[in-house]
Amino acid sequence: MVCVFESAAPGLVEIRKRKLRKPREDPFFFGRLGLADQGKPQTPDPPPNHSRSWAAKRQKHTGTSTAPWGRRPMEKFRAVLDLHLKHRNTLGYVLVSLLTVGGERIFSTAVFQCPCSDAWNLPYGLVFLLVPALALFLLGYVLSARTWRLLTGCCAPGARTGCGAALRGALVCAQLSAVAAVAPLTWVAVALLGGSFYECAASGSAFVARRLCFGRSPGCADQLPLVPCHQVQAPDVQDLQKELKAQSQVLGWVLIAVVIIVLLIFTSITRCLSPVSFLQLKFWKIYLEQEQQILKSQATEHATKLAKENIKCFFECSHPKEYNTPSIKDWQQISSLYTFNPKEQYYSILHKYVNRKEKNQSIRSSKEDVVVPVLGFVDSSDMNSTPDL
């Protein structure tokens, strides 16, 4: 037995060496001698192709990233950002409308309390119905970049005035008013659909009281202001609250229909009178986005260099280097309102400025220039309207 074991020992040692060199070549020995490793999970060996790593191949086939956080979240964020840039105006209108609806609901449930008084119902209801709409209308003017482009410097000494400039300013104001009216009209429409503000205001109106109380009990007109508070004893008078709410909701839907029809007609007319085609308008908007991004980047870089040079010279008590910065007149010219000229194709006021024939030539609007409503987005964009990418 000892001799047999000693004669078999060299072969066993040789098998063990082969096992260490090539673990997958001898399955019989793996089954006999690898019993201690049966409980451990076996991981597949990487493929022998050395031109590419096993992790890279796995990423290609499975679509996963070997980075700790991966690239998919950034791609999704980029898609959302592209969607926001593509439909920025539409999303802005939707957001304003949703905020307006939420604000009206909060006001009508938590703040509004009808006084149920003959003297106060009408003014109290009208204040809650119209004053927030007026505030939203003025806020639309304030938040528009085109408003400040029109007003900044218009009253300064030497500002250009005349019938043509006044007419163009009036047309721009009309367009600004149309855009700023979105939020207040939404407020009024939602408030009318709710009915609380109208019920309170109409119950204090003598004209509405004469129409509603015609043919009813003699004390109907005196009890009508108490209807919103459910303090009327007569059932026929209390039932007038349903009629008031029905009138309010009908007016709300009529207002919504009128606004949609007017908006559709105005958009159709402006598109029909457009001097440029549909695809050129798309290209125009892309150009403006790129121009504003590059302008903001270059302005930031130039301002940073100028600030660093001034601070350096301050601490070193030396004279700064000469920097070519646009003059006040140059800034005023590129800040003016854009007007369209059929003979010249410029996509922005900056585009028009850099293509002027003479250095001292003014690019202010001439008699041939016109204000085109469909090109109102040219003045609406500024360096802060486009986010950094």
Side-chain angles (χ1 to χ4, degrees):
M1 294 295 292
V2 175
C3 296
V4 173
F5 178 79
E6 289 180 352
S7 62
L12 184 62
V13 173
E14 181 65 23
I15 293 175
R16 186 181 298 274
K17 290 182 180 179
R18 284 189 297 168
K19 169 64 178 177
L20 294 177
R21 286 198 304 267
K22 296 182 179 181
R24 300 180 63 181
E25 289 182 357
D26 196 346
F28 175 78
F29 183 76
F30 178 80
R32 289 291 186 88
L33 300 180
L35 298 176
D37 296 331
Q38 287 184 356
K40 297 182 181 180
Q42 300 296 326
T43 58
D45 294 330
N49 187 8
H50 300 287
S51 61
R52 189 188 307 173
S53 64
W54 180 72
K57 283 191 173 183
R58 180 176 177 270
Q59 179 181 356
K60 177 180 178 181
H61 291 290
T62 60
T64 58
S65 176
T66 56
W69 47 84
R71 293 185 178 180
R72 285 192 174 183
M74 293 303 298
E75 293 177 358
K76 293 179 180 179
F77 177 75
R78 172 65 62 176
V80 173
L81 184 59
D82 292 340
L83 179 64
H84 167 70
L85 293 177
K86 186 177 180 180
H87 305 283
R88 182 172 62 248
N89 294 333
T90 304
L91 293 176
Y93 291 145
V94 171
L95 180 61
V96 169
S97 301
L98 291 178
L99 292 177
T100 304
V101 172
E104 192 277 334
R105 289 290 88 191
I106 294 175
F107 266 75
S108 61
T109 56
V111 180
F112 181 76
Q113 295 291 335
C114 186
C116 297
S117 172
D118 189 15
W120 283 100
N121 277 18
L122 181 60
Y124 189 83
L126 291 179
V127 163
F128 273 83
L129 183 64
L130 301 179
V131 171
L134 178 61
L136 291 173
F137 182 72
L138 298 177
L139 186 62
Y141 270 105
V142 172
L143 296 179
S144 176
R146 205 176 184 190
T147 302
W148 305 115
R149 184 184 288 267
L150 176 64
L151 294 179
T152 302
C154 65
C155 299
R160 186 177 178 181
T161 56
C163 296
L167 180 59
R168 285 189 289 269
L171 291 176
V172 172
C173 288
Q175 296 176 15
L176 289 173
S177 301
V179 175
V182 174
L185 289 176
T186 304
W187 173 275
V188 175
V190 174
L192 290 176
L193 291 178
S196 300
F197 301 155
Y198 180 84
E199 291 176 10
C200 184
S203 62
S205 173
F207 175 76
V208 176
R210 287 194 300 269
R211 292 179 59 88
L212 292 179
C213 295
F214 182 77
R216 297 181 182 271
S217 59
C220 174
D222 297 333
Q223 297 179 3
L224 186 61
L226 303 177
V227 169
C229 299
H230 303 277
Q231 298 177 358
V232 181
Q233 301 296 332
D236 57 340
V237 179
Q238 185 62 42
D239 291 340
L240 293 177
Q241 184 179 9
K242 298 180 181 179
E243 187 170 350
L244 290 174
K245 189 169 185 178
Q247 292 179 2
S248 178
Q249 292 179 345
V250 169
L251 290 176
W253 284 114
V254 169
L255 178 61
I256 293 175
V258 169
V259 169
I260 293 176
I261 293 173
V262 171
L263 181 61
L264 179 61
I265 294 175
F266 177 77
T267 305
S268 301
I269 292 176
T270 54
R271 288 303 181 102
C272 290
L273 299 177
S274 174
V276 296
S277 63
F278 176 78
L279 292 179
Q280 190 175 3
L281 282 177
K282 295 291 185 181
F283 172 80
W284 206 316
K285 294 179 180 180
I286 295 173
Y287 168 81
L288 286 175
E289 290 181 0
Q290 297 300 321
E291 182 188 83
Q292 295 303 323
Q293 292 177 21
I294 298 173
L295 177 60
K296 184 174 181 179
S297 176
Q298 293 293 327
T300 303
E301 181 180 355
H302 187 86
T304 303
K305 291 181 179 179
L306 184 60
K308 288 182 178 180
E309 181 67 20
N310 292 335
I311 295 174
K312 178 181 177 182
C313 294
F314 172 75
F315 284 103
E316 296 179 355
C317 298
S318 60
H319 293 284
K321 299 179 181 179
E322 184 178 356
Y323 275 87
N324 294 325
T325 304
S327 62
I328 297 177
K329 185 178 180 180
D330 297 335
W331 286 111
Q332 289 177 349
Q333 292 197 54
I334 66 170
S335 300
S336 57
L337 289 174
Y338 176 82
T339 52
F340 181 78
N341 193 334
K343 298 181 180 179
E344 300 174 345
Q345 184 173 338
Y346 298 124
Y347 292 107
S348 67
I349 198 69
L350 181 62
H351 187 195
K352 185 177 181 180
Y353 172 77
V354 298
N355 285 277
R356 67 192 189 282
K357 297 180 180 179
E358 299 179 3
K359 185 175 181 180
N360 296 327
Q361 180 184 359
S362 176
I363 60 171
R364 295 296 179 91
S365 301
S366 60
K367 295 181 180 180
E368 298 179 354
D369 295 346
V370 293
V371 176
V372 182
V374 76
L375 299 178
F377 62 89
V378 179
D379 294 325
S380 301
S381 60
D382 59 354
M383 286 191 292
N384 293 325
S385 62
T386 305
D388 295 333
L389 296 180

